[in-house]
Amino acid sequence: MGLERLSELLRRGMMIAGGVSLLALTLLATTNVALRVFRVPVSGTYEVVSFLGAIVTAGALGYTQKRKDHIVVDILSDRFPAPVKRVLDRVNFAITFVFFAIVSWQTFVYGKRLISTGEVSETLKIAFSPFVFLVGFGFAVLALTILLDLVESVWTPAERK
Amino acid sequence: MSGPIVGVYGIAAMFFILFVLRVPAAFTMALVGFVGIARVISFDAAFAIVGTEMWNIFSSYGLTVIPLFILVGEIVHYAGYNFSLYDATYKWFGHFRGGLAMTTIMASAAFSAISGSNTATAATMSAVAIPAMKEYGYHPMMNAGSVAAGATLGVLIPPSIVLVVYGLYTGQSIGKLFFGNVIPSAILTVAILGTVAWICRLHPGWGPAGPRFGWKERMKALPAAIDILALFGIIMYALFTGVVTATEAAAASCFLGYAICLARRKLTWKKFVDSMTDTLRISCMVFMIVAGAVIFARFLTLTRLPFAAAEWIQTLALPKWMVLWVILLCYIIGGCVMDALAFLLVSLPIFYPLVVQLGYDPIWFGQVITIVTTMGSIMPPIGICCYVVSGMSGIPLGTVFRGAFYYMPSYVVSIVVLMISPYWTVLVLSDLVK
């Protein structure tokens, strides 16, 4: 299925972005400690570390959902008959898809607002909206992953489950 | 319909979505918080809040310490240090009755000193300790129980993610929280070790003694343990002097961790990638819980429910210590039905101001709350550590929970000790930090 392959690519791409950010963050903060020993700290590292930190989390959103890693409480629902469970799953996917689509959209809106008001970061005076857009994109990948879960749960015949 | 009652409906809705629809706890809180804010103010306000709040939490400097502390633990795990640590402790203590279970607890404590999460510790120790204990004929309940109880130390012993989140949320110094934690961690570790000895008295067949090793072999097993202790020492020293932030200390220890593992040729490209992937997804889980809880707490504050609840508890005119136990009871029940970290974040706006008003020290309260929270992670029905142990070892979940149940008194005893003398258990060390 084309869409599934696309979402797999997006998830992987975002994971790589997250991993690279994590490494960059580690190196940057370590360098800053080392430089402070010699009394020449780099100004603005706090900001860049925070922005990179945002990409670390946003990068893993789709992948974590695909692996179903988020903690689910199923003590009660385990006792439901399978057909009921399937219907509830669809409701679950539909609601969370809509919610994260909204979150993604609103994060983009926030990023656009930053551009239009010309807001820059406090110390380095750089425009940080690209980071905000990347977080918005991470949520879009999450929403897409949930949407495909929904599609699969509706289209897969019951006996194959 | 307005005011605190909306908050009560919100909590009810949250439980429904959580239990019946099986929506992950993190998503549920964000979702209910979002709809709640829309109900209390307006949809426009709710839209604006989810957009900016997610970005604010993801890009919070203080929280960047979380992926880094997870990463250190993962590096050490993939480099195989868990095996070396276990081996070293075993050579020293394995010949006692229940010695392997005690080894498990102590190796967990050592591993926790570098890892900030209990699930990482549970996964690591399940892989290492359970096969060894099986080989020596330990009872499954003893196996699983000791691993699960040992893993709870992961969240308690610094670096601890719960303490980090608590510190950021309440504005307390993370350095002080970590140092104040040293004695409580020691108390709980000893209490858990005592429990192993007690179980061995009750059921002598559950934990037969292992062979005794000579001093030469004991000494040979030490270097690996020294690497880990050095890494831990560096983190704590850096935080103690206050010249670096918690994030910088964590980043530097990741860097050193990689350097040590490369120098000792313990790291391959695959292990490196695996350590990164695991870190990314675990910290994504934690961040989503934090984000969900923050949005949900925003909604609760708007309904004024936390204030109403705090006022109500005050009208009860109970003695100070009793109020504290009522709060702790709430955490125990909360920990039973919800993810412990999520419950902590949702409940802090309600209980924290109350506890401070009663005159308890915030650093001390942080330790008590962390012990209670970590106890929730081995309690049925959703004790996460037991799920991990059962999933990794194939021991039935019921057996794991029953095995872990033996350790419950050690948590209660630790809390009581902390209550008897807040100064000598916590503040004596935390006050040293600048």
Side-chain angles (χ1 to χ4, degrees), chain A residues 15 19 23 26 29-30 32 36 46 50 54 57 60 65 67 69 71 73 75 77 88-89 92 95 102 106 110, chain B residues 18-25 27 31 47 52 55 58-59 61 243 245 248 251 276-277 280-281 287 339 381:
Chain A
M15 274 300 268
L23 269 190
T26 310
T30 313
N32 202 35
R36 193 164 322 138
Y46 281 23
S50 310
T57 311
Q65 171 65 25
R67 286 186 39 131
D69 274 335
I71 297 157
V73 185
I75 31 167
S77 45
L88 291 177
D89 270 349
N92 166 353
I95 296 176
I102 292 175
Q106 283 303 317
Y110 174 61
Chain B
L18 197 64
F19 284 106
V20 178
L21 293 184
R22 287 199 298 175
V23 174
F27 298 0
L31 187 67
F47 280 146
T52 49
W55 165 256
F58 281 21
S59 68
Y61 180 80
V243 290
T245 63
E248 288 169 341
M276 287 299 238
T277 328
L280 287 175
R281 61 184 185 78
F287 265 82
D339 175 68

Side-chain angles (χ1 to χ4, degrees), chain B residues 277-299:
Chain B
T277 328
D278 279 2
T279 305
L280 287 175
R281 61 184 185 78
I282 296 171
S283 60
C284 179
M285 278 162 64
V286 175
F287 265 82
M288 285 309 285
I289 288 175
V290 174
V294 167
I295 293 173
F296 188 73
R298 268 274 194 113
F299 154 63

Side-chain angles (χ1 to χ4, degrees), chain A residues 88-101:
Chain A
L88 291 177
D89 270 349
R90 287 173 201 169
V91 178
N92 166 353
F93 292 141
I95 296 176
T96 42
F97 163 67
V98 172
F99 178 64
F100 285 109

Side-chain angles (χ1 to χ4, degrees), chain B residues 115-127:
Chain B
S115 157
S117 92
N118 47 14
T119 44
T121 314
T124 304
M125 294 316 292
S126 301

Side-chain angles (χ1 to χ4, degrees), chain B residues 61-125:
Chain B
Y61 180 80
L63 289 174
T64 50
V65 70
I66 292 175
L68 293 170
F69 276 144
I70 296 173
L71 180 60
V72 200
E74 292 295 331
I75 297 167
V76 172
H77 166 73
Y78 278 104
Y81 268 106
N82 37 16
F83 286 99
S84 329
L85 273 179
Y86 195 78
D87 182 57
T89 335
Y90 178 58
K91 295 220 162 106
W92 284 76
F93 302 102
H95 58 278
F96 293 112
R97 193 160 67 182
L100 266 180
M102 292 189 191
T103 301
T104 305
I105 308 288
M106 281 187 279
S108 303
F111 186 75
S112 305
I114 215 75
S115 157
S117 92
N118 47 14
T119 44
T121 314
T124 304
M125 294 316 292

